[in-house]
């Protein structure tokens, strides 16, 4: 999923903030022990998530798709002192792995893990969110978005990952490729929906920043 040369990506990472030591350890252990480590946000995108969160300074964050918790910790860096971060995933095998690193962080008491189907769990959260990160099953991106927008504070930010889908958004869509089809619809929705203003950043596999109007 390199849209620019690896050398340029490395240059950009080198001239961005350093990866915190805890995240370096998480990164390393994910690659050693967990399937599909390419799903990890990684150093550069992680610093992008961190600085967006610091700019927003959210009281409440929602993350849909935890994986091993790398992006979770990046987003937590911008939390207000009394803020909360709810993160959702349906993979119970990763729950303890995530918790280990959350408990080693400064935000261990602010991060709440939710295990199960996000579409079932989101309505139970009695909060208005300032920052949301969508990085889960692509086939439900539109469902997540439509469920989340009414739960956002005005000016809140919705981040959506993998919106370039390894370049498949520019290729003919195969009949059985539902994920690409949904992502094409999703990207168009973010462009046209009057409730948000959006910019699509060609970072890694594509990161959309949508501001709730």
């Amino acid at each position: 999923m390199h849209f620019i040369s690896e050398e340029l990506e490395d240059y950009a990472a080198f001239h961005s903030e350093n990866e915190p030591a805890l995240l370096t350890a998480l990164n390393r252990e994910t690659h050693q022990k967990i399937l599909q480590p390419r799903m990890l946000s990684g150093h550069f995108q992680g610093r992008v998530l961190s600085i967006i969160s610091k700019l927003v300074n959210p009281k409440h964050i929602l993350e849909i798709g935890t994986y091993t918790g790398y992006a979770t910790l990046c987003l937590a860096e911008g939390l207000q002192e009394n803020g909360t971060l709810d993160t959702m995933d349906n993979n119970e095998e990763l729950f303890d792995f995530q918790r280990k690193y959350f408990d080693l962080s400064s935000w261990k008491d602010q991060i709440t893990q939710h295990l199960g189907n996000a579409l079932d769990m989101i309505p139970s959260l009695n909060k208005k969110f300032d920052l949301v990160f969508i990085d889960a099953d692509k086939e439900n991106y539109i469902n997540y978005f439509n469920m989340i927008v009414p739960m956002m504070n005005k000016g809140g930010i919705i981040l959506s990952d993998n919106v370039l889908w390894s370049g498949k958004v520019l290729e003919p869509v195969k009949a059985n490729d539902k994920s690409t089809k949904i992502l094409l619809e999703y990207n168009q929705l973010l462009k046209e929906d009057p409730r948000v203003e959006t910019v699509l950043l060609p970072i890694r596999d594509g990161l959309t920043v949508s501001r709730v109007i």
Side-chain angles (χ1 to χ4, degrees):
M1 78 176 73
H2 293 281
F3 299 116
I4 62 173
S5 70
E6 291 189 52
E7 291 80 7
L8 277 175
E9 286 189 357
D10 291 342
Y11 182 89
F14 182 78
H15 288 85
S16 301
E17 286 295 309
N18 293 333
E19 183 179 53
L22 180 62
L23 292 179
T24 299
L26 194 165
N27 193 335
R28 183 183 305 113
E29 188 171 0
T30 297
H31 279 80
Q32 289 172 343
K33 299 180 179 179
I34 308 299
L35 293 174
Q36 296 181 299
R38 70 192 291 268
M39 291 173 59
L40 192 94
S41 289
H43 172 200
F44 180 66
Q45 183 172 327
R47 292 305 86 204
V48 172
L49 297 178
S50 168
I51 204 163
I52 290 174
S53 185
K54 289 171 181 174
L55 289 168
V56 175
N57 190 216
K59 183 172 184 180
H60 297 303
I61 299 175
L62 172 62
E63 179 185 39
I64 304 173
T66 315
Y67 189 49
T68 56
Y70 189 101
T72 318
L73 292 172
C74 294
L75 295 167
E77 293 178 29
L79 267 176
Q80 295 181 22
E81 187 174 345
N82 61 342
T84 67
L85 195 164
D86 292 275
T87 184
M88 300 181 169
D89 205 284
N90 61 5
N91 188 343
E92 60 183 311
E93 294 180 1
L94 293 177
F95 191 89
D96 292 339
F97 185 103
Q98 300 158 4
R99 192 72 248 172
K100 178 177 77 170
Y101 282 94
F102 296 162
D103 286 344
L104 290 170
S105 77
S106 302
W107 308 280
K108 63 180 180 180
D109 297 325
Q110 295 171 272
I111 299 174
T112 301
Q113 294 163 278
H114 301 267
L115 184 62
N117 185 318
L119 292 173
D120 294 332
M121 297 186 292
I122 291 170
S124 69
L125 299 176
N126 187 26
K127 298 177 183 178
K128 295 287 280 186
F129 292 99
D130 306 296
L131 181 60
V132 173
F133 184 41
I134 304 174
D135 187 17
D137 55 313
K138 312 313 166 194
E139 295 179 13
N140 274 311
Y141 265 36
I142 293 173
N143 295 328
Y144 294 139
F145 177 79
N146 284 323
M147 184 174 285
I148 287 165
V149 170
M151 301 175 69
M152 299 290 297
N153 283 316
K154 184 176 180 180
I157 299 295
I158 300 172
L159 304 172
S160 309
D161 201 14
N162 304 117
V163 291
L164 294 180
W165 208 223
S166 299
K168 291 181 182 178
V169 291
L170 295 181
E171 300 171 359
V173 181
K174 297 178 181 177
N176 62 346
D177 188 354
K178 188 174 181 180
S179 294
T180 301
K181 180 177 181 294
I182 293 294
L183 279 173
L184 288 167
E185 294 176 7
Y186 182 68
N187 290 340
Q188 194 64 32
L189 169 65
L190 295 187
K191 169 70 174 176
E192 297 176 351
D193 195 309
R195 297 174 295 177
V196 296
E197 53 184 354
T198 292
V199 61
L200 196 163
L201 305 175
I203 294 172
R204 288 193 79 233
D205 198 24
L207 179 71
T208 298
V209 181
S210 301
R211 177 179 176 271
V212 177
I213 298 172

